[in-house]
Amino acid sequence: ELEFQNVNCAEPVSNLAIQLNKNAFGLSPANQQVVCNPPVSIGSKGKTSVQLLVNRNMLAPVAAGQPANPQIQIAIKNMSTSQVFYFAANFSIESIFAPGGAVDRSAFIDAWKNIDDGKELYSTLSDLP
């Protein structure tokens, strides 16, 4: 969900565009166009939803042995004025989990098999209590 305020744009804000840089989660907007309905006049606030999808082309590389960076760099453009607002937001991984938490067994196995073998580590443990 996106909440914003029109601080100083004389004409009501009605159309925005959103873009995310590559990130550790591969997130990108389903649609870059964001329509404000009703338009947001100066001094007012608006709220809209932006659906995010996982896109392999948007995955940022993560150095081996390093944690993924939860920060996502975002740009929002006012299509009426062409002004662009840049900011970064920390993404909480918990927000992409399904409320029920269950995944169909065959879907999980298929997803597991699609993981690149180069990213898989395994070893044999012995002498466990």
Side-chain angles (χ1 to χ4, degrees):
E1 191 150 306
L2 179 66
E3 185 175 353
F4 54 95
Q5 181 175 356
N6 181 351
V7 177
N8 63 2
C9 185
E11 71 180 76
V13 176
S14 58
N15 290 307
L16 303 169
I18 186 169
Q19 183 173 333
L20 279 60
N21 282 350
K22 287 186 176 185
N23 56 80
F25 307 102
L27 295 175
S28 65
N31 186 354
Q32 289 188 317
Q33 182 180 8
V34 178
V35 177
C36 305
N37 190 11
V40 182
S41 58
I42 193 165
S44 298
K45 292 182 180 181
K47 193 182 277 191
T48 188
S49 293
V50 176
Q51 182 182 4
L52 298 176
L53 303 174
V54 176
N55 179 344
R56 291 179 187 215
N57 296 328
M58 291 300 292
L59 276 171
V62 177
Q66 297 297 313
N69 185 348
Q71 192 175 79
I72 299 177
Q73 297 173 341
I74 305 165
I76 296 182
K77 180 178 182 178
N78 182 334
M79 299 306 288
S80 300
T81 64
S82 295
Q83 291 181 323
V84 182
F85 176 64
Y86 300 94
F87 63 100
N90 284 333
F91 184 76
S92 173
I93 189 72
E94 294 86 8
S95 64
I96 63 172
F97 294 140
V103 176
D104 178 63
R105 185 178 196 279
S106 60
F108 176 80
I109 291 171
D110 289 342
W112 188 268
K113 288 179 180 179
N114 286 328
I115 296 173
D116 180 10
D117 288 340
K119 295 183 178 183
E120 184 174 335
L121 299 174
Y122 61 90
S123 64
T124 303
L125 302 174
S126 57
D127 299 328
L128 294 174

